[in-house]
Amino acid sequence: MSAPTGYVRRLAAAAMLLALAACSTTDIASVEEPAAAPMTGQTNDPAPGFENVAMGSEEDFILNVGRRIYFKQDSATLDSVAMATLDNQAAWLNKNPSWLLKLQGFADDSGSASKMETLSQKRADAAMAYLASKGVEARRMWAKGYGNDREVRDCTERSCKVQNRRVVSNLRAQPDAV
């Protein structure tokens, strides 16, 4: 490589670096993304993008309470984690009495369709009974078992199947049509 060619390449590279260093993306970023809410350092600070979630809204229930509980295979017994989630749901529902609750039970594919439908109904019923024991009026809730018709994941691994063994609590403004 000749001296003038190497010199020109180095000079061009230096010019490009200077041009890049002079660029600023802060103006562009402030237009594209909303300013983040000031953080207080508390564990209950809202996640960015969720600062404006209204208390008592469906979004509040989903984000701050949780709407899924999980079960062991072939079981409708609530474990301590499920009970903790249901305790949070009960407290929220008791503070927000205008909401109704549909409890949807599901199962994996570890048995016959009729067995899984029965099991999923037992799971939904167990969640409903627990919520009622915590003061949520039974007339505000209904339970439906769907068996393994609505799998979250179609898989064979045990760790994956647990995602299908669940009850999902869905808020409703009015009862579902029969």
Side-chain angles (χ1 to χ4, degrees):
M1 169 172 11
S2 67
T5 305
Y7 178 76
V8 170
R9 285 186 181 169
R10 286 187 196 135
L11 186 59
M16 288 173 55
L17 285 173
L18 284 172
L20 286 172
C23 290
S24 174
T25 59
T26 55
D27 293 334
I28 295 170
S30 67
V31 171
E32 292 176 359
E33 295 182 26
M39 301 302 271
T40 63
Q42 301 297 313
T43 57
N44 62 348
D45 281 340
F50 296 100
E51 299 88 355
N52 298 320
V53 171
M55 296 300 288
S57 68
E58 188 171 8
E59 293 83 5
D60 176 40
F61 182 78
I62 293 167
L63 292 170
N64 298 316
V65 177
R67 64 183 197 157
R68 288 182 180 84
I69 59 172
Y70 297 94
F71 295 84
K72 292 181 181 175
Q73 186 172 350
D74 296 325
S75 174
T77 303
L78 300 170
D79 65 14
S80 61
V81 175
M83 286 188 267
T85 299
L86 291 170
D87 287 341
N88 291 336
Q89 288 181 9
W92 191 93
L93 288 162
N94 288 328
K95 287 181 192 171
N96 298 283
S98 64
W99 286 107
L100 304 177
L101 191 68
K102 180 178 184 178
L103 295 149
Q104 296 177 296
F106 302 95
D108 61 20
D109 60 358
S110 61
S112 70
S114 63
K115 179 184 173 192
M116 293 299 102
E117 188 171 329
T118 300
L119 179 59
S120 66
Q121 184 66 48
K122 286 180 180 179
R123 289 172 175 166
D125 290 341
M128 188 167 76
Y130 188 86
L131 289 168
S133 77
K134 296 297 180 175
V136 180
E137 296 175 47
R139 65 178 178 80
R140 294 175 55 199
M141 302 180 284
W142 63 100
K144 171 76 173 131
Y146 291 93
N148 60 356
D149 287 344
R150 300 179 183 183
E151 290 183 321
V152 173
R153 304 270 313 270
D154 183 16
C155 55
T156 56
E157 297 86 32
R158 183 174 168 234
S159 62
C160 173
K161 285 186 177 229
V162 72
Q163 296 174 42
N164 294 321
R165 300 189 300 261
R166 69 200 188 283
V167 168
V168 180
S169 300
N170 289 300
L171 296 178
R172 298 284 193 265
Q174 59 189 20
D176 288 350
V178 179

